[in-house]
Amino acid sequence: MSNVRALAAETLYNVVDKGASLNQELPFASQGLSPKDKALLQQICYGVLRYLPSLENYCQQLLDQPLKGKRRIFQFLLYVGIYQLQHMRVPPHAAISETVNALQQMRALGLKGLINAILRSFQREQAELEEKAKQIPVCQYNHPGWFIKHVTAAYPDNWQDILEANQQQAPMWLRVNQAQYSTQEYSDMLKANDIEHSLNADFPDGIKLAKPCDVFSLPEFETGACSVQDAAAQLAARFLDPQDDELILDACAAPGGKTCHILELADADVLALDSDSERLERVKQNLVRIGLAADLQCADASQPHIWWDEKQFDRILLDVPCSATGVIRRHPDIKWLRRASDIEDLAHLQGDILNSIWPLLKPGGTLVYATCSVLPQENQQQVATFLANNSNAEHIPLHENDTPTLPGLQLLPGESDGFYYAKLVKIHS
């Protein structure tokens, strides 16, 4: 039988040291586990990634020297043990014994004494270690220093709220398929099934569940009555405002939530484009479940000369590749996989894609630019530069303080994820 702590240490080592994505590693590590053990593995991996700087700091204090080379993976086993002692309801004796037992599966029984001693030392010195760590900003906020600096500069009044929100578990939001049920009708169906939830007028298609649940326990999920999608992401199709019989491009479409939403709101002809063939398969699966159809194409949005058939689009949703700094609470590995230098590279790529896609829009057509980032370089600054350089682009305000020099709507993580939107219309030329 697999030891969950051993699997967690291996998964975390692959993510933090090898640069693998948690989304890829968790399903692989979870194979053959019971639902209860799968949930435990996920909880430990997410938790360690949320609190990594603090856990590193504690080990630094407790170990004479860090575990390196072939022993490096056991450093992550220590993080797994300490995270359980500090943040989980596992009885301390069980947390320690199960973590030490992981060494059997990891074929390192010789380290039993060391791992046991360090975990017991943490238990004894926990209060003192926590107090020391709080003096170090990276440990106090459990985010990389470069990101704290960026967020503090962009949001001088509420940067701490953003970092705090990133440490919480994200809520589970549903998007109601308006082609099948109104939001109120589906809410009534959830009530009939004793599934606790709430509605929010800012998100007309959204329902927030009081606690996450298995999707197959949701009424008519399998026939497309609803989809799991964060409230902020649900605004993309609403701002796009698709109409029947229009030709619409959903660029960078995977995994397909927004593609499906567009088709739920209008009987349109949609081209869903993505450069990743595996992720494009997810778009197909989502469409099949809901019973919708779109034209799927695997291609690079920044290279339309390779794939575009010269028919201009009525509307374009441009959800560009970004730092994903608005969805850290859902993907805590982002904090450790991203580098400060990535932001400039991504901003260049986003500018290239926006400039390449703009000619594909009809005069009078609408383009919605979207990211799941909270950083101005990828958002307001990107769109403001584009508006300054393109006289045939008209900025459409999404709220009263939305201006061409500070364009768009920035949502911060909290009720919804952190998302950015800007709406542009091509002036007849």
Side-chain angles (χ1 to χ4, degrees), residues 1-9 33 37 41 77 80 97-106:
M1 194 171 117
S2 292
N3 180 293
V4 172
R5 278 80 177 172
L7 291 171
L33 293 182
D37 280 350
L41 177 65
L77 185 63
V80 165
S97 64
E98 284 297 324
T99 303
V100 171
N101 288 344
L103 292 164
Q104 191 161 351
Q105 186 171 316
M106 299 170 87

Side-chain angles (χ1 to χ4, degrees), residues 35 172 174 195 209 211-219 221-222 228:
M172 182 171 173
L174 306 180
I195 298 172
L209 300 186
K211 59 182 183 193
C213 72
D214 181 344
V215 290
F216 294 108
S217 67
L218 297 167
F221 176 81
E222 289 171 79
V228 177

Side-chain angles (χ1 to χ4, degrees), residues 35-345:
K36 189 180 171 187
D37 280 350
K38 271 185 191 176
L40 178 61
L41 177 65
Q42 179 170 319
Q43 186 183 3
I44 292 172
C45 289
Y46 271 62
V48 170
L49 290 168
R50 284 194 176 113
Y51 293 98
L52 189 62
S54 298
L55 300 170
E56 285 175 336
N57 180 266
Y58 304 146
C59 284
Q60 211 176 344
Q61 308 293 319
L62 295 167
L63 282 165
D64 293 333
Q65 53 187 33
L67 300 170
K68 291 180 178 174
K70 288 182 179 175
R71 301 171 91 196
R72 174 69 176 154
I73 194 167
F74 304 107
Q75 183 91 5
F76 287 92
L77 185 63
L78 283 173
Y79 301 159
V80 165
I82 293 171
Y83 173 73
Q84 292 170 88
L85 291 170
Q86 191 181 18
H87 294 285
M88 287 177 68
R89 291 179 182 171
V90 182
H93 67 89
I96 293 172
S97 64
E98 284 297 324
T99 303
V100 171
N101 288 344
L103 292 164
Q104 191 161 351
Q105 186 171 316
M106 299 170 87
R107 297 184 179 151
L109 291 173
L111 289 174
K112 263 187 163 183
L114 175 69
I115 300 293
N116 187 54
I118 297 298
L119 294 180
R120 292 196 182 281
S121 296
F122 175 78
Q123 233 187 329
R124 285 193 304 274
E125 300 170 38
Q126 183 172 346
E128 188 188 331
L129 287 163
E130 286 174 352
E131 203 48 49
K132 276 187 189 171
K134 278 181 193 164
Q135 311 309 311
I136 306 163
V138 167
C139 296
Q140 185 184 355
Y141 297 110
N142 287 291
H143 282 71
W146 71 265
F147 183 68
I148 295 173
K149 192 175 158 189
H150 271 64
V151 173
T152 309
Y155 306 98
D157 299 329
N158 57 338
W159 61 274
Q160 286 163 302
D161 296 339
I162 295 168
L163 300 181
E164 177 59 33
N166 284 350
Q167 292 295 91
Q168 308 308 313
Q169 184 180 348
M172 182 171 173
W173 279 90
L174 306 180
R175 184 190 76 242
V176 178
N177 181 352
Q178 302 295 329
Q180 293 187 18
Y181 296 100
S182 70
T183 307
Q184 188 57 56
E185 284 169 342
Y186 197 75
S187 169
D188 293 340
M189 289 162 71
L190 291 175
K191 279 179 200 159
N193 283 269
D194 295 322
I195 298 172
E196 207 180 318
H197 63 280
S198 57
L199 307 183
N200 183 323
D202 291 336
F203 306 108
D205 306 312
I207 293 179
K208 184 168 80 166
L209 300 186
K211 59 182 183 193
C213 72
D214 181 344
V215 290
F216 294 108
S217 67
L218 297 167
E220 297 183 37
F221 176 81
E222 289 171 79
T223 51
C226 73
S227 299
V228 177
Q229 186 183 40
D230 185 74
Q234 295 178 26
L235 294 178
R238 285 289 176 179
F239 288 148
L240 192 67
D241 193 23
Q243 303 298 313
D244 290 351
D245 302 320
E246 287 184 330
L247 182 60
I248 297 174
L249 171 64
D250 182 2
C252 319
K258 299 179 186 76
T259 309
C260 292
H261 196 189
I262 291 167
L263 288 161
E264 288 166 8
L265 296 176
D267 183 11
D269 185 3
V270 175
L271 169 59
L273 190 80
D274 204 274
S275 60
D276 186 327
S277 58
E278 281 184 31
R279 295 188 77 229
L280 202 58
E281 188 58 34
R282 294 264 312 278
V283 182
K284 186 179 176 182
Q285 290 164 4
N286 279 318
L287 288 164
V288 167
R289 178 180 67 84
I290 298 173
L292 298 168
D295 179 14
L296 306 186
Q297 199 159 348
C298 186
D300 185 338
S302 68
Q303 306 284 321
H305 61 277
I306 295 172
W307 54 266
W308 184 42
D309 65 2
E310 309 263 320
K311 285 182 191 163
Q312 285 185 308
F313 295 92
D314 296 287
R315 293 174 203 266
I316 297 175
L317 174 58
L318 193 56
D319 187 359
V320 291
C322 71
S323 63
T325 45
V327 292
I328 284 172
R329 60 186 186 173
R330 292 187 190 280
H331 306 283
D333 51 332
I334 287 165
K335 291 191 284 187
W336 317 117
L337 296 176
R338 285 274 169 269
R339 300 283 175 268
S341 56
D342 294 343
I343 307 308
E344 198 176 330
D345 293 344

Side-chain angles (χ1 to χ4, degrees), residues 408-419:
L409 171 68
Q410 179 70 68
L411 298 164
L412 298 175
E415 179 74 350
S416 71
D417 287 343
F419 258 75

